[in-house]
């Protein structure tokens, strides 16, 4: 089966996400069953509903043929190790003769045994002959029949069914084998991070990662939609509308939505109109775009009316009291831009709000709503004017945040390029921005674009304090093309894809962010001082927007 499709993902490495996808059926957000791959071939790390280690002792030498987010196959002269999700709570597998399955530190026997428990679920393991299974259930009364079914399942059929979405995905001509494998890996990550309808979310939706950010997030959903416009536009339309349908009665759109619990109290960057426009261009589904428009209007108007405290036409992010996450609303949680914990007229907020109003105007014109387009274009123009008047630093040659006393920030950040995306700079200022991408003192890092300049003084390898991110690179790349800087845009795209591919081929995963110095593995980077404090988590692996935007670039 696997030999019929060339260049399938087949690299084992610690941190690859494993779960049943909402593309294949029901998923249960309240009772999750999620694993990661461990470092050794066959080692599994149970993440939800509780933690446990599962491994295979005595494995012979095997060659991995296939590793996706919901199925795996490795073969050799000594037999086969394989598994696939039969449903959202059942993982069915096979192992070579003579191998011992160990779960939670104890050998697994022919009688189902509990290996972990949490979130109202118990996880059971069972082995009979060369067949094995892991399954999650609410109580032991449900287990016996499900174990029998899992151990008797046609594993070849399950692997074929789970892998079909990736195997049958149409890869564009001209990609080399490595880029094709990376693209199929990205599609697999996009699949595994898709959930079925649940609670207040009435359609299929996407999450940044099934563990730990397992809910629906605002700007993540928009970036997922950009990638899905190339990979699966119908799913993209559902995912973006699922987020838009969470607009509150007053127009506020929460940054994080849980299917059944109350949503968050802060918002996130306005990029959903951009995503809707891209999906409209891909599908020409005017009825769907018209359905999105009222949500977009209410949400953008809420931002304009509720996040401009000083009334100068430029919005400010909400600032939190947590020193390691001053601005979750911005999305650049721990950026040194916010170290002083003061309100700032923000370059990124202003640029993205101007852009999204402009995108909404384009959508309105395409669906015949001229009366909506005109005020949106007027808002875009006002924000553009204010950004140029108040946020440009002639000394730095960059757009900078501004406090309420009129002082520009000293932190040069990747967000200083965002005005390109919104068509704000003059040709002369755009050229000044372009020069920074060639300046090794500021932003010409080995892996572009560092989230703050190399000479910032607060640069580090901690999340938004230095590492390069695929979503900000994609925004800047789009801005560069808008100004005709195609050489720089091509270089940024190629260098970013090369870095994502390099670490996929090394570690088996696509990551949340990357070392802009090109030295440290993404899994070893800092994340909100976890290396200093010994708390927190490593950068997230098999991260959805990295996969989605990598796929978009490769499909382009």
């Amino acid at each position: 089966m696997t030999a019929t499709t060339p260049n399938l993902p087949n690299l084992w490495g610690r941190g690859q996400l494993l779960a049943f996808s909402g593309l294949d059926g029901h998923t249960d957000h309240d009772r999750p069953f999620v694993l990661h791959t461990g470092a050794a071939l066959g080692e599994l790390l149970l993440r939800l509903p509780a933690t446990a280690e599962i491994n295979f002792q005595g494995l012979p030498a095997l060659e991995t043929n296939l590793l996706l987010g919901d199925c795996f196959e490795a073969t050799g002269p000594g037999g086969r190790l394989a598994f696939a999700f039969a449903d959202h709570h059942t993982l069915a597998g096979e192992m070579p003769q003579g191998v011992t399955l160990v779960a939670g530190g104890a050998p697994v026997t022919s009688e189902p045994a509990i290996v972990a428990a949490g979130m109202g679920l118990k996880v059971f393991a069972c082995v009979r002959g060369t067949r094995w299974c892991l399954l999650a259930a609410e109580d032991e009364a449900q287990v016996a029949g499900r174990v029998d079914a899992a151990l008797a399942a046609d594993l070849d059929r399950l692997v074929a069914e789970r892998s079909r979405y990736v195997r049958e995905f149409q890869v564009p001509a001209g990609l080399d084998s490595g880029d094709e494998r990376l693209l199929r890996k990205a599609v697999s990550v996009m699949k595994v991070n898709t959930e079925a309808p649940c609670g207040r979310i009435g359609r299929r939706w996407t999450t940044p990662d099934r563990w730990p950010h397992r809910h629906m997030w605002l700007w993540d959903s928009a970036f997922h939609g950009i990638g899905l416009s190339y990979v699966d536009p119908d799913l993209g339309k559902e995912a973006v509308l699922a987020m838009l349908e969470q607009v509150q009665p007053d127009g506020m759109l929460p940054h994080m939505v849980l299917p059944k619990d109350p949503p968050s109290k802060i918002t996130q960057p306005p990029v959903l109109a951009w995503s809707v426009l891209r999906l409209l261009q891909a599908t020409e589904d005017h009825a769907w775009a018209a359905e999105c428009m009222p949500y977009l209007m209410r949400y953008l108007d809420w931002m304009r009316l509720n996040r401009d405290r000083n009334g100068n036409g430029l919005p400010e992010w909400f600032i939190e009291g947590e020193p390691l996450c001053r601005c979750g609303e911005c999305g650049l949680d721990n950026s040194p831009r916010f170290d002083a914990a003061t309100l700032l007229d923000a370059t990124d907020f202003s640029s993205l709000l101007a852009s999204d109003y402009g995108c909404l105007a384009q959508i309105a014109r395409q669906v015949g709503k001229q009366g909506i387009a005109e005020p949106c274009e007027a808002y875009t123009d006002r924000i553009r004017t204010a950004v140029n008047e108040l946020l440009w630093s002639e000394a730095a040659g960059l757009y900078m945040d501004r406090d309420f006393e009129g002082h520009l920030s000293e932190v040069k950040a990747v967000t200083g390029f965002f005005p390109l995306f919104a068509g704000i700079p003059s040709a002369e200022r755009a050229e000044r921005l372009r020069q920074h991408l060639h300046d090794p003192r500021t932003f010409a890092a080995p892996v572009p674009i560092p989230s703050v300049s190399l000479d910032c003084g607060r640069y580090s390898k901690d999340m938004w304090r230095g590492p390069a991110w695929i979503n900000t690179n994609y925004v800047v790349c789009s801005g560069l093309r808008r100004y005709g800087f195609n050489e720089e845009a091509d270089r940024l795209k190629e260098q970013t894809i090369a870095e994502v591919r390099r670490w996929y081929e090394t570690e088996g995963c696509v990551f949340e962010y990357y070392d802009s110095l090109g030295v440290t593995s993404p899994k070893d980077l800092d994340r909100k001082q976890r290396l200093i404090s010994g708390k927190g988590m490593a950068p997230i692996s098999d991260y959805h927007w990295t996969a989605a935007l990598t796929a978009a670039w490769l499909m382009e």
Side-chain angles (χ1 to χ4, degrees):
M1 181 276 300
T2 54
T4 60
T5 304
N7 304 316
L8 286 168
N10 64 347
L11 303 175
W12 186 282
R14 182 184 178 93
Q16 296 184 75
L17 187 60
L18 302 170
F20 188 74
S21 170
L23 288 174
D24 287 335
H26 172 67
T27 56
D28 193 335
H29 182 269
D30 289 341
R31 297 172 180 82
F33 182 45
V34 179
L35 304 94
H36 274 131
T37 54
L41 182 68
E43 181 183 0
L44 301 175
L45 306 174
L46 181 64
R47 296 298 192 188
L48 297 172
T51 59
E53 293 187 8
I54 296 102
N55 54 70
F56 297 85
Q57 293 183 354
L59 270 181
L62 299 173
E63 180 178 353
T64 301
N65 304 321
L66 173 75
L67 177 55
L68 304 178
D70 48 14
C71 60
F72 165 75
E73 181 185 64
T75 56
R80 178 171 82 148
L81 180 66
F83 58 73
F85 281 88
D87 57 42
H88 67 296
H89 279 162
T90 307
L91 187 66
E94 178 183 347
M95 61 188 182
Q97 191 75 36
V99 172
T100 300
L101 175 61
V102 176
V108 177
T109 69
S110 60
E111 291 300 318
I114 299 173
V115 298
M119 302 180 72
L121 287 174
K122 299 174 183 177
V123 178
F124 297 82
C126 185
V127 170
R128 291 174 191 165
T130 60
R131 294 298 302 270
W132 59 272
C133 69
L134 297 172
L135 59 86
E138 293 181 14
D139 59 63
E140 297 183 41
Q142 305 173 354
V143 172
R146 288 182 53 201
V147 165
D148 291 343
L151 296 177
D154 184 338
L155 190 56
D156 287 334
R157 178 183 62 81
L158 285 178
V159 171
E161 289 177 353
R162 297 291 87 82
S163 64
R164 182 176 296 117
Y165 189 80
V166 175
R167 284 188 293 109
E168 296 184 357
F169 177 73
Q170 295 298 306
V171 173
L175 294 183
D176 67 26
S177 61
D179 278 351
E180 179 176 342
R181 182 171 284 108
L182 176 62
L183 176 55
R184 293 191 188 277
K185 167 66 177 180
V187 171
S188 175
V189 172
M190 296 167 76
K191 181 190 178 190
V192 75
N193 283 309
T194 299
E195 289 264 18
C198 182
R200 64 167 56 87
I201 307 176
R203 59 185 74 245
R204 294 182 299 178
W205 54 283
T206 57
T207 186
D209 44 88
R210 298 284 285 275
W211 180 92
H213 299 107
R214 64 190 197 91
H215 310 307
M216 183 169 67
W217 297 64
L218 194 162
W219 75 328
D220 296 78
S221 297
F223 289 121
H224 303 163
I226 297 292
L228 287 166
S229 71
Y230 294 92
V231 171
D232 189 340
D234 287 338
L235 175 60
K237 289 188 295 182
E238 285 197 68
V240 169
L241 186 53
M243 188 70 233
L244 284 171
E245 287 173 333
Q246 308 309 314
V247 171
Q248 304 297 293
D250 64 354
M252 191 267 192
L253 184 54
H255 91 299
M256 181 180 68
V257 175
L258 290 73
K260 296 182 180 178
D261 295 328
S264 66
K265 300 298 184 182
I266 59 173
T267 188
Q268 252 185 350
V271 284
L272 280 165
W274 174 43
S275 192
V276 170
L277 180 59
R278 291 285 288 269
L279 284 158
L280 174 60
Q281 293 166 342
T283 65
E284 299 184 357
D285 189 339
H286 289 72
W288 169 80
E291 188 177 359
C292 293
M293 281 184 57
Y295 298 115
L296 290 169
M297 291 170 58
R298 289 165 54 203
Y299 140 71
L300 294 177
D301 284 349
W302 184 92
M303 288 189 159
R304 178 174 56 83
L305 297 172
N306 289 273
R307 285 295 185 262
D308 182 11
R309 283 77 156 184
N310 58 0
N312 65 358
L314 300 173
E316 308 91 29
W317 301 114
F318 176 78
I319 301 298
E320 303 170 51
E322 169 55 56
L324 298 182
C325 183
R326 289 290 189 196
C327 197
E329 184 165 275
C330 168
L332 281 67
D333 312 11
N334 69 333
S335 172
R337 298 164 60 205
F338 308 114
D339 283 355
T342 58
L343 289 175
L344 298 168
D345 294 325
T347 54
D348 47 349
F349 203 165
S350 302
S351 300
L352 296 176
L353 186 59
S355 170
D356 242 33
Y357 265 125
C359 290
L360 180 55
Q362 292 185 59
I363 296 165
R365 292 194 183 280
Q366 290 190 38
V367 302
K369 303 287 186 180
Q370 307 295 338
I372 293 174
E374 292 174 2
C376 290
E377 290 166 343
Y379 293 140
T380 294
D381 289 342
R382 288 178 203 167
I383 298 170
R384 284 172 172 165
T385 298
V387 169
N388 270 322
E389 288 180 353
L390 299 175
L391 301 186
W392 174 256
S393 169
E394 185 63 27
L398 195 70
Y399 290 91
M400 313 282 277
D401 301 323
R402 181 179 186 269
D403 66 25
F404 282 15
E405 284 70 48
H407 304 117
L408 292 176
S409 170
E410 296 180 356
V411 178
K412 297 190 290 290
V414 64
T415 51
F417 296 95
F418 279 26
L420 292 168
F421 179 69
I424 292 173
S426 64
E428 293 75 16
R429 288 183 176 179
E431 172 60 24
R432 295 283 303 279
L433 295 173
R434 186 190 71 84
Q435 290 172 9
H436 276 293
L437 298 177
H438 296 274
D439 188 343
R441 297 168 300 177
T442 56
F443 291 99
V447 177
I449 300 172
S451 41
V452 296
S453 66
L454 299 176
D455 64 352
C456 170
R458 282 177 269 180
Y459 175 95
S460 72
K461 296 189 179 187
D462 187 342
M463 210 170 178
W464 292 104
R465 305 180 75 85
W469 290 69
I470 274 59
N471 66 323
T472 52
N473 281 7
Y474 195 90
V475 168
V476 175
C477 185
S478 300
L480 291 168
R481 294 206 188 282
R482 182 167 188 160
Y483 279 81
F485 298 142
N486 291 319
E487 180 180 342
E488 285 76 15
D490 288 343
R491 183 183 303 113
L492 177 57
K493 169 184 171 179
E494 291 163 4
Q495 288 180 293
T496 306
I497 291 173
E499 191 68 1
V500 174
R501 175 174 164 177
R502 175 165 82 105
W503 289 110
Y504 167 60
E505 293 177 347
T506 303
E507 307 284 2
C509 302
V510 297
F511 290 93
E512 191 180 14
Y513 50 92
Y514 295 82
D515 178 15
S516 54
L517 300 182
V519 175
T520 304
S521 168
K523 66 181 178 60
D524 296 325
L525 292 173
D526 206 355
R527 194 178 193 278
K528 296 181 180 177
Q529 297 188 18
R530 73 176 180 95
L531 297 179
I532 298 172
S533 66
K535 301 176 182 178
M537 63 188 68
I540 309 304
S541 56
D542 280 1
Y543 198 67
H544 195 161
W545 81 30
T546 300
L549 298 178
T550 297
W553 263 333
L554 289 169
M555 292 293 288
E556 288 171 3

PDB file of all heavy atoms in Angstrom, residues 445-458:
ATOM      1  N   ALA A 445      19.497  37.909   9.572  1.00  0.00           N
ATOM      2  CA  ALA A 445      19.973  36.769  10.360  1.00  0.00           C
ATOM      3  C   ALA A 445      20.179  35.567   9.449  1.00  0.00           C
ATOM      4  O   ALA A 445      19.624  35.508   8.353  1.00  0.00           O
ATOM      5  CB  ALA A 445      18.964  36.441  11.452  1.00  0.00           C
ATOM      6  N   PRO A 446      20.951  34.589   9.895  1.00  0.00           N
ATOM      7  CA  PRO A 446      21.104  33.368   9.094  1.00  0.00           C
ATOM      8  C   PRO A 446      19.772  32.725   8.744  1.00  0.00           C
ATOM      9  O   PRO A 446      19.609  32.165   7.660  1.00  0.00           O
ATOM     10  CB  PRO A 446      21.952  32.464  10.004  1.00  0.00           C
ATOM     11  CG  PRO A 446      22.745  33.422  10.838  1.00  0.00           C
ATOM     12  CD  PRO A 446      21.820  34.579  11.087  1.00  0.00           C
ATOM     13  N   VAL A 447      18.827  32.770   9.679  1.00  0.00           N
ATOM     14  CA  VAL A 447      17.460  32.295   9.416  1.00  0.00           C
ATOM     15  C   VAL A 447      16.530  33.488   9.627  1.00  0.00           C
ATOM     16  O   VAL A 447      16.285  33.901  10.758  1.00  0.00           O
ATOM     17  CB  VAL A 447      17.070  31.137  10.355  1.00  0.00           C
ATOM     18  CG1 VAL A 447      15.626  30.724  10.109  1.00  0.00           C
ATOM     19  CG2 VAL A 447      18.006  29.954  10.157  1.00  0.00           C
ATOM     20  N   PRO A 448      16.023  34.075   8.554  1.00  0.00           N
ATOM     21  CA  PRO A 448      15.170  35.255   8.711  1.00  0.00           C
ATOM     22  C   PRO A 448      13.747  34.833   9.119  1.00  0.00           C
ATOM     23  O   PRO A 448      13.364  33.681   8.933  1.00  0.00           O
ATOM     24  CB  PRO A 448      15.177  35.854   7.305  1.00  0.00           C
ATOM     25  CG  PRO A 448      15.350  34.667   6.397  1.00  0.00           C
ATOM     26  CD  PRO A 448      16.225  33.703   7.141  1.00  0.00           C
ATOM     27  N   ILE A 449      12.983  35.767   9.655  1.00  0.00           N
ATOM     28  CA  ILE A 449      13.349  37.089  10.140  1.00  0.00           C
ATOM     29  C   ILE A 449      13.304  36.991  11.662  1.00  0.00           C
ATOM     30  O   ILE A 449      12.295  36.538  12.209  1.00  0.00           O
ATOM     31  CB  ILE A 449      12.351  38.161   9.661  1.00  0.00           C
ATOM     32  CG1 ILE A 449      12.295  38.233   8.132  1.00  0.00           C
ATOM     33  CG2 ILE A 449      12.703  39.523  10.234  1.00  0.00           C
ATOM     34  CD1 ILE A 449      11.171  39.154   7.622  1.00  0.00           C
ATOM     35  N   PRO A 450      14.362  37.390  12.374  1.00  0.00           N
ATOM     36  CA  PRO A 450      14.297  37.338  13.833  1.00  0.00           C
ATOM     37  C   PRO A 450      13.139  38.190  14.344  1.00  0.00           C
ATOM     38  O   PRO A 450      12.831  39.239  13.774  1.00  0.00           O
ATOM     39  CB  PRO A 450      15.649  37.892  14.268  1.00  0.00           C
ATOM     40  CG  PRO A 450      16.139  38.694  13.118  1.00  0.00           C
ATOM     41  CD  PRO A 450      15.605  38.020  11.894  1.00  0.00           C
ATOM     42  N   SER A 451      12.491  37.731  15.399  1.00  0.00           N
ATOM     43  CA  SER A 451      11.324  38.448  15.906  1.00  0.00           C
ATOM     44  C   SER A 451      11.688  39.798  16.514  1.00  0.00           C
ATOM     45  O   SER A 451      10.831  40.682  16.596  1.00  0.00           O
ATOM     46  CB  SER A 451      10.561  37.581  16.915  1.00  0.00           C
ATOM     47  OG  SER A 451      11.430  36.882  17.769  1.00  0.00           O
ATOM     48  N   VAL A 452      12.925  39.970  16.956  1.00  0.00           N
ATOM     49  CA  VAL A 452      13.467  41.294  17.267  1.00  0.00           C
ATOM     50  C   VAL A 452      14.836  41.390  16.612  1.00  0.00           C
ATOM     51  O   VAL A 452      15.458  40.380  16.288  1.00  0.00           O
ATOM     52  CB  VAL A 452      13.580  41.556  18.784  1.00  0.00           C
ATOM     53  CG1 VAL A 452      12.208  41.562  19.430  1.00  0.00           C
ATOM     54  CG2 VAL A 452      14.480  40.552  19.463  1.00  0.00           C
ATOM     55  N   SER A 453      15.304  42.597  16.413  1.00  0.00           N
ATOM     56  CA  SER A 453      16.568  42.789  15.710  1.00  0.00           C
ATOM     57  C   SER A 453      17.726  42.188  16.499  1.00  0.00           C
ATOM     58  O   SER A 453      17.696  42.103  17.733  1.00  0.00           O
ATOM     59  CB  SER A 453      16.824  44.276  15.462  1.00  0.00           C
ATOM     60  OG  SER A 453      17.011  44.960  16.684  1.00  0.00           O
ATOM     61  N   LEU A 454      18.752  41.792  15.776  1.00  0.00           N
ATOM     62  CA  LEU A 454      19.914  41.175  16.411  1.00  0.00           C
ATOM     63  C   LEU A 454      20.623  42.146  17.350  1.00  0.00           C
ATOM     64  O   LEU A 454      21.292  41.712  18.306  1.00  0.00           O
ATOM     65  CB  LEU A 454      20.875  40.671  15.331  1.00  0.00           C
ATOM     66  CG  LEU A 454      20.294  39.609  14.392  1.00  0.00           C
ATOM     67  CD1 LEU A 454      21.298  39.264  13.301  1.00  0.00           C
ATOM     68  CD2 LEU A 454      19.877  38.357  15.153  1.00  0.00           C
ATOM     69  N   ASP A 455      20.482  43.439  17.102  1.00  0.00           N
ATOM     70  CA  ASP A 455      21.122  44.438  17.969  1.00  0.00           C
ATOM     71  C   ASP A 455      20.142  45.024  18.981  1.00  0.00           C
ATOM     72  O   ASP A 455      20.385  46.098  19.544  1.00  0.00           O
ATOM     73  CB  ASP A 455      21.749  45.559  17.129  1.00  0.00           C
ATOM     74  CG  ASP A 455      20.726  46.376  16.345  1.00  0.00           C
ATOM     75  OD1 ASP A 455      19.527  45.985  16.331  1.00  0.00           O
ATOM     76  OD2 ASP A 455      21.107  47.397  15.750  1.00  0.00           O
ATOM     77  N   CYS A 456      19.065  44.316  19.240  1.00  0.00           N
ATOM     78  CA  CYS A 456      18.007  44.828  20.122  1.00  0.00           C
ATOM     79  C   CYS A 456      18.514  45.095  21.538  1.00  0.00           C
ATOM     80  O   CYS A 456      18.056  46.007  22.207  1.00  0.00           O
ATOM     81  CB  CYS A 456      16.846  43.836  20.147  1.00  0.00           C
ATOM     82  SG  CYS A 456      15.598  44.151  21.388  1.00  0.00           S
ATOM     83  N   GLY A 457      19.462  44.276  21.999  1.00  0.00           N
ATOM     84  CA  GLY A 457      19.899  44.375  23.390  1.00  0.00           C
ATOM     85  C   GLY A 457      19.142  43.433  24.300  1.00  0.00           C
ATOM     86  O   GLY A 457      19.587  43.130  25.405  1.00  0.00           O
ATOM     87  N   ARG A 458      17.988  42.971  23.839  1.00  0.00           N
ATOM     88  CA  ARG A 458      17.208  41.993  24.603  1.00  0.00           C
ATOM     89  C   ARG A 458      16.944  40.738  23.768  1.00  0.00           C
ATOM     90  O   ARG A 458      16.054  39.950  24.076  1.00  0.00           O
ATOM     91  CB  ARG A 458      15.891  42.625  25.079  1.00  0.00           C
ATOM     92  CG  ARG A 458      16.073  43.531  26.283  1.00  0.00           C
ATOM     93  CD  ARG A 458      14.772  44.206  26.683  1.00  0.00           C
ATOM     94  NE  ARG A 458      14.635  45.497  26.013  1.00  0.00           N
ATOM     95  CZ  ARG A 458      13.594  46.316  26.179  1.00  0.00           C
ATOM     96  NH1 ARG A 458      12.607  45.946  26.971  1.00  0.00           N
ATOM     97  NH2 ARG A 458      13.538  47.460  25.552  1.00  0.00           N
TER      98      ARG A 458
END
